[in-house]
């Protein structure tokens, strides 16, 4: 094996400054050369007027209204936006999962989006209780185009947005606070008048002060309260004020403080649905959404599996299943999460990461030996608890180590829970042998087979499938009974007296075949006598057997730990005859000992 050599990283510089004087002795980290002083803390960029926060002591007890924006925000972040067929497939999935408000597009931004909204309006594809949301910038011509697209829709939410943060006002829009407020009111008035010209249309309104989290709280409050009044919001026709963390710039508690401030100070609060739209630039979008709901948010916009611009929108899969894992109904159906993932991957042409919470290929999988052992014991305990309660295992209270939710709840099979590679342990290996092959290895035998597995996986660097694991067990313990230097050409055994058995056989040893006879207090004891007559000393130290399935024709498997000429080894045998299986187990041990000695 080649010696390991260090690989240089010429672009990286190991931090080499002086250890800060305030650092404890156990922390020798040194300052890096990265220009971190270029950046300002969120506390220096936006006022946080909330002091007596209450959200930290609250608990999530029910699901908010989930609003998927996969077809608009998620779609505009794709290198190859969805065509109409993929949009329709995604829409049908969202409806089937139970979403009741769906943002379907930005109809003034592209002909594809406009045509898709018209398709929904004309095709009868919308369930009776689903509201369609469409997105538009605060510009009159875009608002008109948006209203044209929703003609004939049974229920519509028109989502008006404008960026409001100081750097956007100064750099992008070139408007003062007052000028921007006037622009928003003009656009909102134009939208209300346009909706009023469509008698019988059920059109409600939503406003997003884009980059809310970097906007002065008093300005957002002023704008939102003005729109609540302008749009004549009422409890039976509420407006939605959606407060996005468009670019995540602070720890989630800061966002929660901002949301609670708005929750407390919005006027006509019973006529306002307080919504949030976190992004994931800091990797804490899920935490921002959860804390925002604690702080008073009633509605959450996001995408399945977190697709979206830059690092993505908040992930609705994780949010909803986090509730499920806490005993709260998520109000969405993820009972076939692989089907959900397949549709999302097809429509977005983006893969879901194998470690993605809940939905990734490997999230319910344990390779580590200690994890596998705990899961195996936990699954057995869960089955016993279910029987004691008299309920199906899939309905019994769930408490299995390392598995926050039952994979079965999500349509996953237990084949995915434990997988075998060089890091795996004896408990996980034994679990898979029993689950897939009906083999219940004696505990004392498990370390022996674990070493055989590790030898193979260390050499290949790959994992073993359950099929390959069974094949390795067969090669290691079963095959040697019939393929070795000592084989039984023929044999028979029978009782010759009280507690006395005789074993007669034709034994081939190193190619020489001879007849031998042995006696003992049972068939296996008599077999060891016959082997002793051939010059092979065998002591049976441990012996167990069991059926591998139910029914009279079920194969039996026997395990024998033997000391053969001073070498202790395990062997196994399998046959519809328990006696034949036990004889093969001893013979497998004899041949394995010979190989070990050689």
């Amino acid at each position: 094996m080649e010696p390991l050599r260090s690989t240089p990283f010429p672009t990286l510089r190991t931090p080499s400054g002086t250890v800060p004087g305030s650092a404890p002795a156990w922390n020798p980290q040194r300052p890096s050369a990265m220009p971190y002083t270029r950046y300002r803390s969120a506390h220096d960029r936006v006022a946080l007027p909330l002091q007596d926060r209450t959200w930290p002591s609250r608990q999530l007890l029910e699901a908010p209204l989930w609003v998927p924006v996969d077809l608009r925000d998620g779609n505009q972040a794709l290198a190859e936006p969805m065509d109409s067929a993929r949009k329709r497939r995604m829409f049908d999935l969202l409806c089937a999962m139970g979403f009741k408000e769906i943002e379907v597009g930005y109809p003034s931004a592209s002909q594809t989006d406009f045509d898709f909204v018209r398709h929904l309006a004309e095709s009868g594809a919308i369930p009776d209780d689903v509201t369609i949301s469409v997105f538009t910038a605060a510009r009159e011509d875009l608002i008109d185009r948006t209203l044209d697209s929703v003609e004939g829709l049974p229920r519509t939410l028109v989502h008006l947005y404008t960026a409001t943060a100081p750097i956007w006002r100064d750099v992008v829009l070139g408007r003062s606070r007052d000028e921007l407020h006037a622009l928003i009111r003009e656009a909102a008035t134009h939208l209300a008048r346009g909706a009023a010209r469509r008698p019988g249309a059920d059109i409600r309104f939503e406003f997003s002060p884009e980059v809310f989290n970097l906007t002065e709280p008093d300005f957002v409050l002023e704008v939102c309260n003005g729109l609540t009044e302008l749009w004549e919001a009422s409890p039976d026709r509420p407006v939605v004020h959606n407060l996005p963390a468009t670019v995540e710039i602070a720890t989630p508690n800061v966002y929660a403080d901002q949301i609670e401030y708005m929750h407390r100070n919005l006027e006509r609060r019973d006529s306002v649905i307080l919504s949030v739209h976190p992004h994931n630039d800091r990797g804490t979008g899920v935490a921002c959404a959860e804390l925002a709901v604690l702080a008073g948010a009633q509605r959450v916009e996001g995408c399945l599996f977190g697709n979206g611009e830059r690092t993505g929108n908040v992930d609705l899969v994780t949010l909803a299943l986090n509730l499920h894992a806490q005993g709260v109904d998520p109000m969405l159906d993820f009972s076939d999460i692989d089907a959900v993932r397949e549709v999302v991957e097809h429509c977005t042409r983006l893969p879901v990461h194998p470690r993605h919470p809940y939905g990734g290929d490997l999230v319910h999988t344990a390779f580590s030996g200690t994890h596998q052992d705990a899961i195996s014991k936990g699954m057995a305990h869960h089955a016993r608890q279910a029987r004691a309660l008299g309920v199906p295992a899939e309905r019994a209270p769930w408490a299995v180590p390392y598995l926050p939710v039952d994979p079965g709840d999500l349509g996953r099979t237990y084949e995915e829970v434990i997988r075998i590679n060089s890091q795996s342990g004896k408990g996980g290996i034994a679990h898979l042998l029993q689950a897939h092959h009906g083999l219940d290895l004696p505990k004392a035998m498990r370390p022996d087979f674990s070493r055989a597995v590790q030898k193979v996986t260390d050499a290949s660097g790959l994992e073993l499938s359950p099929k390959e694991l069974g094949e390795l067990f067969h090669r290691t313990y079963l095959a040697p009974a019939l393929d070795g230097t000592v084989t039984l050409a023929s044999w028979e055994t029978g009782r010759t007296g009280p507690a006395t058995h005789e074993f007669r056989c034709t034994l081939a040893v190193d190619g020489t075949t001879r007849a031998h006879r042995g006696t003992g207090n049972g068939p296996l004891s008599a077999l060891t006598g016959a082997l002793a007559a051939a010059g092979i000393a065998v002591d049976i130290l441990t012996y167990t057997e069991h059926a591998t399935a139910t029914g009279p024709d079920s194969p039996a498997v026997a395990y024998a730990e033997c000391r053969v000429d001073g070498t202790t080894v395990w062997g196994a045998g399998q046959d519809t005859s328990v006696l034949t299986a036990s004889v093969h187990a001893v013979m497998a041990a004899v041949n394995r000992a010979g190989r070990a000695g050689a």
Side-chain angles (χ1 to χ4, degrees):
M1 179 177 176
E2 278 191 30
L4 296 175
R5 290 186 171 84
S6 175
T7 302
F9 294 94
T11 62
L12 299 180
R13 292 169 291 170
T14 299
S16 58
T18 303
V19 175
S22 59
W26 49 262
N27 184 1
Q29 291 180 154
R30 299 171 185 271
S32 77
M34 295 180 65
Y36 65 91
T37 55
R38 299 175 61 204
Y39 303 95
R40 295 168 59 205
S41 162
H43 297 268
D44 296 332
R45 299 173 69 182
V46 64
L48 296 173
L50 187 69
Q51 299 297 325
D52 54 339
R53 61 188 57 80
T54 62
W55 61 261
S57 60
R58 295 179 186 156
Q59 183 179 353
L60 296 174
L61 298 175
E62 62 182 12
L65 176 65
W66 307 113
V67 181
V69 295
D70 301 78
L71 292 167
R72 194 277 302 172
D73 200 346
N75 185 56
Q76 71 186 37
L78 298 175
E80 184 182 341
M82 298 180 217
D83 56 22
S84 295
R86 283 188 285 154
K87 273 181 163 280
R88 177 58 192 269
R89 189 175 183 194
M90 177 71 82
F91 178 79
D92 290 343
L93 170 70
L94 297 172
C95 291
M97 292 175 67
F99 288 102
K100 299 304 178 185
E101 189 175 302
I102 303 172
E103 191 168 87
V104 300
Y106 193 162
S108 64
S110 77
Q111 189 63 43
T112 300
D113 273 24
F114 185 93
D115 290 344
F116 182 68
V117 178
R118 293 308 310 144
H119 162 75
L120 293 179
E122 296 165 0
S123 65
I126 305 170
D128 291 341
D129 58 352
V130 170
T131 296
I132 297 302
S133 173
V134 287
F135 191 72
T136 182
R139 216 175 74 192
E140 291 188 1
D141 58 326
L142 303 183
I143 291 169
D144 291 342
R145 176 75 167 162
T146 301
L147 290 172
D148 288 344
S149 76
V150 302
E151 187 71 37
L153 283 172
R155 288 160 308 283
T156 308
L157 185 72
V158 177
H159 183 176
L160 185 72
Y161 84 96
T162 300
T164 55
I167 191 171
W168 272 257
R169 296 196 305 259
D170 298 341
V171 175
V172 181
L173 302 174
R175 293 175 184 264
S176 67
R177 273 179 53 152
D178 289 344
E179 289 170 336
L180 183 62
H181 193 175
L183 179 150
I184 293 169
R185 286 190 64 84
E186 288 167 8
T189 300
H190 186 79
L191 173 59
R193 288 172 178 166
R197 287 195 293 271
R198 289 164 168 79
D202 185 357
I203 300 175
R204 292 173 38 236
F205 308 122
E206 173 180 357
F207 175 65
S208 285
E210 192 181 0
V211 211
F212 154 78
N213 55 322
L214 273 173
T215 304
E216 306 92 332
D218 66 306
F219 183 46
V220 177
L221 198 62
E222 176 186 338
V223 171
C224 289
N225 284 337
L227 294 184
T228 301
E229 180 181 13
L230 173 67
W231 283 335
E232 299 179 345
S234 63
D236 60 331
R237 292 191 60 79
V239 299
V240 177
H241 287 314
N242 183 55
L243 308 178
T246 308
V247 180
E248 194 180 29
I249 53 90
T251 51
N253 61 295
V254 173
Y255 190 52
D257 282 352
Q258 293 173 313
I259 297 302
E260 184 168 347
Y261 173 81
M262 295 296 293
H263 168 58
R264 289 191 196 178
N265 291 284
L266 282 168
E267 295 174 358
R268 296 160 72 169
R269 186 64 186 83
D270 61 348
S271 301
V272 173
I273 299 169
L274 180 55
S275 175
V276 292
H277 182 118
H279 279 249
N280 200 42
D281 299 87
R282 290 171 50 92
T284 57
V286 166
C288 279
E290 291 180 330
L291 297 192
V293 173
L294 291 176
Q298 302 153 286
R299 178 182 183 272
V300 176
E301 295 184 353
C303 288
L304 297 179
F305 300 108
N307 176 45
E309 291 173 304
R310 302 180 310 282
T311 56
N313 291 287
V314 71
D315 175 15
L316 298 185
V317 174
T318 300
L319 283 171
L321 289 176
N322 280 354
L323 289 181
H324 176 77
Q326 294 294 311
V328 176
D329 187 350
M331 310 297 281
L332 296 172
D333 184 4
F334 289 98
S335 61
D336 189 350
I337 199 165
D338 287 336
V340 173
R341 188 184 68 184
E342 188 276 326
V343 172
V344 172
E345 288 181 328
H346 169 80
C347 292
T348 63
R349 297 183 177 170
L350 293 173
V352 172
H353 194 283
R355 296 290 183 190
H356 190 286
Y358 302 107
D361 270 337
L362 298 179
V363 297
H364 304 296
T365 301
F367 292 103
S368 160
T370 54
H371 288 211
Q372 291 174 343
D373 184 59
I375 290 170
S376 179
K377 290 174 179 175
M379 298 281 280
H381 176 75
H382 176 73
R384 290 193 298 271
Q385 289 287 94
R387 288 193 296 269
L389 293 170
V391 297
E394 63 272 16
R395 292 296 176 186
W398 182 254
V400 173
Y402 297 112
L403 294 177
V405 297
D406 182 349
D409 289 353
L410 309 181
R412 292 283 180 84
T413 68
Y414 293 106
E415 296 173 10
E416 297 156 318
V417 172
I418 293 177
R419 286 164 60 174
I420 303 302
N421 65 12
S422 61
Q423 304 299 308
S424 304
K426 57 186 183 295
I429 293 166
H431 176 86
L432 286 188
L433 283 177
Q434 184 170 39
H436 292 271
H437 305 288
L439 300 172
D440 186 9
L441 266 61
K443 286 187 178 180
M445 186 182 184
R446 295 176 185 182
D448 190 74
F449 186 47
S450 179
R451 286 188 289 272
V453 171
Q454 189 150 27
K455 183 177 179 181
V456 171
T457 53
D458 274 341
S460 69
L462 304 174
E463 68 172 294
L464 291 182
S465 68
K467 179 177 181 290
E468 291 168 330
L469 193 67
E471 291 169 349
L472 178 60
F473 181 84
H474 186 278
R475 291 197 306 272
T476 305
Y477 297 105
L478 297 174
L482 304 174
D483 180 20
T485 58
V486 183
T487 57
L488 290 167
S490 64
W491 61 275
E492 60 180 0
T493 185
R495 184 189 298 270
T496 58
T500 304
H501 286 72
E502 183 179 61
F503 193 97
R504 296 179 298 279
C505 64
T506 302
L507 196 65
V509 181
D510 293 327
T512 302
T513 302
R514 292 179 181 171
H516 294 281
R517 174 181 171 276
T519 59
N521 61 4
L524 295 188
S525 177
L527 168 60
T528 64
L531 291 168
I536 304 169
V538 179
D539 291 322
I540 300 174
L541 307 178
T542 306
Y543 173 81
T544 59
E545 64 187 41
H546 65 81
T548 57
T550 58
D553 296 325
S554 169
V557 64
Y559 312 94
E561 183 186 24
C562 303
R563 185 183 297 115
V564 183
D565 293 332
T567 301
T568 300
V569 292
W570 282 90
Q574 190 168 10
D575 197 89
T576 52
S577 162
V578 175
L579 177 58
T580 300
S582 64
V583 169
H584 285 177
V586 174
M587 293 305 298
V590 168
N591 282 309
R592 293 191 72 232
R595 293 174 184 176

